[in-house]
Amino acid sequence: MRILVLGSGVIGVTTAWGLRQAGHEVVVVDRQAAAAQETSFGNAGQVSPGYASPWPAPGIPAKAIGWLLSRHAPLAIKPTADLAQYRWLWAMLRNCTTHRYGISKARMVRLAEYSRDCLEALRRDTGIHYEERTLGTTQLFRTQAQLDGAAKDIAILRDYDVPYELLDRDGIVRVEPALASKAATLAGALRLPGDETGDCHLFTRRLAELATQQGVEFRFGQTIEALQADGDAITGVRINGRFETADRYVLALGSWSPRLLSPIGIDLPVYPLKGYSLTIPIVREDMAPVSTVLDESYKVAITRFDTRIRVGGMAEVSGYDLSLRQRRRETLELVVRSLYPDGGDLAKAEFWTGLRPSTPDGPPVIGATQYRNLLLNTGHGTLGWTMAAGSARYLADLIDGRTPAIDTEGLDISRYSQPWPAAPATLR
């Protein structure tokens, strides 16, 4: 079967790899000059299934009001003239209930845990390396209220048998020794030992090289102009003024997916959440993080690579703007200085921004559409790399008519046209 994969970020490349391993002829098309040049380029470096959580959560609307007045808020809204921004925000706010949060988080953890297993198998089968570490994630709580609020997430982790550990201050220092002088300012932490880290850009480039060796064709520098449909099928894609055809089409264009789908009548509620990162050279290894720490107050991750520290976070609802805002850099610097002031050389930090394709409820959109030969693999938000390997294998199973290894409930676009599962009596 000839399959056209649109997009060469971590989602598109892992999808191409999985489809080629299943025996298909695969062509990947992207406007960039190489793989992983946009959202996958400078992300926070986490493979964090245990931390898979939707942004829409109970209490977010009230917090958002305070964040609007805060210089270092984890969420910022910059109004635009795009109606899709306000539709997405309204849908996101409607998902900020305890019941909907629990359903969405369960869907995300289900896929993310499966994806971690798929990534481990891929690493074992290929020998790929990408500055990976399998030393877990430590979520830091600066207040007792934050620590108490972790209870609802822990309940879902238990339901899915995800290992976790609650840490006191001594426990934090045990797993992250460089925080010894800062532990007194922390209320506690939630450690997820099954989480991993690494350079997503490096992973995606190296996997693209392996895929090329296996026969996948990559076409870079190509403008994907439009999908053409007739009845219940896609008849082709217009690329650089030419008409390209295939047996199946997989859309993995991240935040740009809705723009290609809207003209053919598919309303995909994906909108970009702008994020930022700093990449800092390490100057003192003993004062740098061991793995990844997540600062719950600022929603910022600090991740250890071989010789660099990656600091990533923020969620800015500001459309497709890719300007680098100094104010966001100041927040990232504030967080890393407060926790690892002597680990890296901030004067030599590289500042980056990217757009995370986010759904208003949290889980990505993977699977079939109203067109029998068009499938989606998009909307992974801040967890694209975390969910990439599992999403790819899941999609390959769907294309080949196999029953996926995980429950398909709530993962495709049809969830937006169906009622939510009923809440238990305690949540009504």
Side-chain angles (χ1 to χ4, degrees):
M1 188 182 301
R2 187 172 192 267
I3 302 176
L4 204 59
V5 177
L6 306 179
S8 71
V10 68
I11 298 297
V13 171
T14 51
T15 296
W17 172 263
L19 292 172
R20 182 58 187 154
Q21 295 305 296
H24 299 293
E25 176 188 351
V26 183
V27 178
V28 180
V29 182
D30 198 285
R31 66 181 179 180
Q32 294 292 344
Q37 294 301 297
E38 297 193 26
T39 306
S40 303
F41 185 84
N43 71 9
Q46 304 163 252
V47 178
S48 51
Y51 190 67
S53 299
W55 265 93
I60 287 294
K63 289 179 182 178
I65 295 173
W67 286 339
L68 291 176
L69 304 175
S70 171
R71 183 171 184 82
H72 300 294
L75 175 66
I77 300 171
K78 183 180 178 182
T80 71
D82 185 3
L83 181 60
Q85 180 186 38
Y86 303 99
R87 291 181 60 208
W88 187 90
L89 282 168
W90 174 245
M92 189 270 285
L93 289 172
R94 292 183 61 209
N95 282 290
C96 294
T97 69
T98 300
H99 173 52
R100 291 191 174 194
Y101 176 86
I103 291 172
S104 294
K105 182 173 176 67
R107 289 168 175 168
M108 295 172 75
V109 170
R110 181 205 320 158
L111 176 60
E113 285 290 311
Y114 173 61
S115 189
R116 190 261 319 283
D117 295 341
C118 292
L119 177 60
E120 181 180 347
L122 190 156
R123 188 167 59 238
R124 182 178 62 247
D125 294 343
T126 64
I128 191 171
H129 290 292
Y130 43 90
E131 300 189 24
E132 71 278 4
R133 291 179 173 229
T134 55
L135 298 173
T137 294
T138 303
Q139 184 180 6
L140 301 177
F141 304 113
R142 293 178 182 264
T143 69
Q144 186 63 41
Q146 291 174 348
L147 182 59
D148 295 341
K152 59 182 180 296
D153 287 341
I154 290 172
I156 294 172
L157 296 177
R158 286 174 178 159
D159 288 344
Y160 281 84
D161 295 322
V162 179
Y164 71 91
E165 182 182 5
L166 282 171
L167 304 178
D168 58 14
R169 291 175 178 130
D170 290 339
I172 293 171
V173 175
R174 172 174 55 82
V175 298
E176 288 288 343
L179 292 177
S181 64
K182 308 296 179 180
T185 68
L186 303 171
L190 174 64
R191 182 168 181 263
L192 303 164
D195 286 6
E196 304 178 9
T197 62
D199 187 334
C200 179
H201 177 236
L202 183 59
F203 168 83
T204 308
R205 281 179 28 231
R206 288 184 172 173
L207 187 61
E209 292 168 1
L210 292 172
T212 299
Q213 294 168 15
Q214 293 292 318
V216 174
E217 179 184 355
F218 285 86
R219 297 182 186 173
F220 294 114
Q222 305 290 302
T223 301
I224 303 168
E225 298 167 356
L227 294 169
Q228 183 168 312
D230 185 13
D232 68 345
I234 299 299
T235 55
V237 187
R238 192 169 68 248
I239 302 170
N240 278 9
R242 301 187 311 274
F243 196 63
E244 300 276 351
T245 62
D247 300 302
R248 296 286 188 276
Y249 304 86
V250 177
L251 190 67
L253 288 173
S255 297
W256 285 267
S257 299
R259 294 187 173 187
L260 210 60
L261 294 172
S262 180
I264 60 170
I266 296 178
D267 184 14
L268 176 67
V270 165
Y271 196 77
L273 281 187
K274 185 178 181 181
Y276 297 83
S277 73
L278 290 174
T279 304
I280 308 166
I282 292 174
V283 293
R284 284 191 58 183
E285 295 211 3
D286 62 321
M287 298 305 292
V290 171
S291 187
T292 290
V293 300
L294 291 161
D295 189 317
E296 179 62 18
S297 294
Y298 298 96
K299 307 292 186 185
V300 166
I302 305 176
T303 297
R304 171 69 175 270
F305 292 165
D306 285 355
T307 60
R308 300 165 295 153
I309 299 170
R310 173 69 54 77
V311 187
M314 322 296 296
E316 192 173 281
V317 187
S318 56
Y320 292 83
D321 169 35
L322 281 168
S323 61
L324 288 166
R325 301 183 65 189
Q326 180 62 25
R327 183 168 168 178
R328 304 302 170 214
R329 178 172 186 148
E330 290 171 3
T331 299
L332 298 177
E333 290 184 352
L334 170 72
V335 174
V336 74
R337 280 197 180 104
S338 72
L339 295 172
Y340 296 98
D342 302 315
D345 186 352
L346 269 172
K348 296 180 180 178
E350 297 176 5
F351 189 31
W352 173 89
T353 189
L355 305 177
R356 287 89 59 105
S358 303
T359 61
D361 51 341
V365 180
I366 313 171
T369 68
Q370 66 200 51
Y371 297 100
R372 54 182 170 79
N373 58 346
L374 173 65
L375 297 100
L376 307 180
N377 196 0
T378 188
H380 295 74
T382 60
L383 295 163
W385 191 23
T386 294
M387 297 180 172
S391 297
R393 186 176 296 183
Y394 177 89
L395 195 69
D397 286 342
L398 293 178
I399 287 175
D400 285 343
R402 295 187 297 267
T403 301
I406 58 171
D407 189 354
T408 62
E409 185 278 326
L411 294 182
D412 67 21
I413 196 170
S414 68
R415 73 175 183 263
Y416 296 113
S417 59
Q418 297 172 351
W420 280 82
T426 55
L427 295 178
R428 288 176 185 164

